[in-house]
Amino acid sequence: QANFGPAVTGGRVVAMCLSTMVTDSRRAIYILYLIMFVDFFQWGLLYPLMTKMVQEFDKGITFIGVLSSTYAISNGIATPLLGVLMDRIGRKPVLIISVAGHTAGCIVTGAAQSYEFLIASRIIIGITGGSPIAAAAYVADLTTEEDRPGYLTRLQGAHFLGMVLGPVSGAVVSDLVDWRVVCYAAAGMAIFNVIFLVFLPESQGFAQDTAGAVEDVTVVVQDENVDEDFTWPYWIFFIAFFQGLAFATFEALGTVYIQDEYFDGDIDSATYFASIAI
């Protein structure tokens, strides 16, 4: 009679190892969710303060729009470069860069003595704002093709939860204290992400992504089943562009419109709550 003992034992060991890897991956992803929540909560704290910041330096609506566009342009230029950097050095270092840049931007905003300082702070936050792409790549590294959509959806949930709670909190606190205090408080929240990053391991996929990049391109080019109409990425680009344009426009002018149209130009927390509700 054949002895299957070692084979069964080996199978159990492999199964236990796989189970441990899955558990560790899930734990890492949930830590990532916390990091992204705090990151977007920081961003949200400053969101309702933009009008106050600009008006304190006697600037008008046009300068609010310029401030918003400065961030969008900086981030649009830097994001592809951060994507390349992410594939070379890993996902976690880019997350660290993003957390550090966001914190530095909050400090510069709080210390601003002129409108130009506000522009500088938005540039800093924009060029280091690679956390969303790094987080998505991190999740992709640690999940299977079947499980990935669910994990990415929950990642988006962490984004939007921070984007909702942050502005509400910033609006309420800014009615009680000076807006600069809110900026420093947002910077201080980075301590939570520093703690979370200590426990976040590097994902395992970035080295293989870099090593196989040329091979992947070759396969795509040589695959006869690939649709010859390769214009769909451009459609995605334009859709994303107009979506971003709409969001940036509301970020810059939505609060101003609501406060002028419904609150006689007064800046109060009700204005910000209405902005978030929309």
Side-chain angles (χ1 to χ4, degrees), residues 34-93:
L34 293 173
I35 293 172
M36 296 311 298
F37 168 76
V38 173
D39 190 53
F40 276 80
F41 188 88
Q42 280 182 292
W43 175 88
L45 281 174
L46 304 187
Y47 167 75
L49 308 180
M50 189 178 301
T51 304
K52 278 187 176 182
M53 297 174 189
V54 174
Q55 291 180 345
E56 181 165 313
F57 297 115
D58 297 323
K59 303 294 183 180
I61 294 177
T62 300
F63 291 90
I64 298 175
V66 170
L67 195 64
S68 181
S69 297
T70 299
Y71 165 79
I73 293 171
S74 302
N75 190 248
I77 294 173
T79 295
L81 302 177
L82 289 172
V84 173
L85 183 65
M86 179 178 63
D87 284 338
R88 291 184 179 275
I89 66 175
R91 320 314 191 192
K92 183 176 179 178

Side-chain angles (χ1 to χ4, degrees), residues 69-83 85 93-102 104-105 119-133:
S69 297
T70 299
Y71 165 79
I73 293 171
S74 302
N75 190 248
I77 294 173
T79 295
L81 302 177
L82 289 172
L85 183 65
V94 172
L95 286 171
I96 294 173
I97 292 172
S98 181
V99 169
H102 204 158
I119 291 289
S121 70
R122 300 297 282 181
I123 292 175
I124 293 172
I125 295 174
I127 62 177
T128 58
S131 59
I133 59 169

Side-chain angles (χ1 to χ4, degrees), residues 5 14 31 35 43 108 120 125 139 147 150 159 189 228-229 235 241:
V14 171
I31 293 174
I35 293 172
W43 175 88
V108 173
I125 295 174
V139 172
D147 295 335
H159 290 177
M189 290 192 64
E228 293 182 0
D229 183 13
W235 286 108
F241 170 79

Side-chain angles (χ1 to χ4, degrees), residues 82-218:
L82 289 172
V84 173
L85 183 65
M86 179 178 63
D87 284 338
R88 291 184 179 275
I89 66 175
R91 320 314 191 192
K92 183 176 179 178
V94 172
L95 286 171
I96 294 173
I97 292 172
S98 181
V99 169
H102 204 158
T103 303
C106 291
I107 293 174
V108 173
T109 302
Q113 299 300 316
S114 67
Y115 178 79
E116 288 71 25
F117 273 84
L118 296 180
I119 291 289
S121 70
R122 300 297 282 181
I123 292 175
I124 293 172
I125 295 174
I127 62 177
T128 58
S131 59
I133 59 169
Y138 192 101
V139 172
D141 288 342
L142 298 183
T143 55
T144 64
E145 191 171 340
E146 293 78 14
D147 295 335
R148 193 169 301 143
Y151 283 102
L152 289 175
T153 300
R154 287 187 284 273
L155 179 65
Q156 284 292 98
H159 290 177
F160 287 114
L161 186 61
M163 290 174 66
V164 170
L165 296 182
V168 172
S169 302
V172 173
V173 176
S174 67
D175 283 343
L176 304 176
V177 297
D178 186 70
W179 61 265
R180 297 178 187 275
V181 176
V182 181
C183 295
Y184 293 131
M189 290 192 64
I191 188 63
F192 293 105
N193 271 348
V194 170
I195 295 172
F196 295 146
L197 282 167
V198 168
F199 295 98
L200 184 74
E202 178 57 87
S203 62
Q204 301 300 312
F206 76 93
Q208 291 85 340
D209 290 344
T210 304
V214 176
E215 295 179 5
D216 291 342
V217 172
T218 303

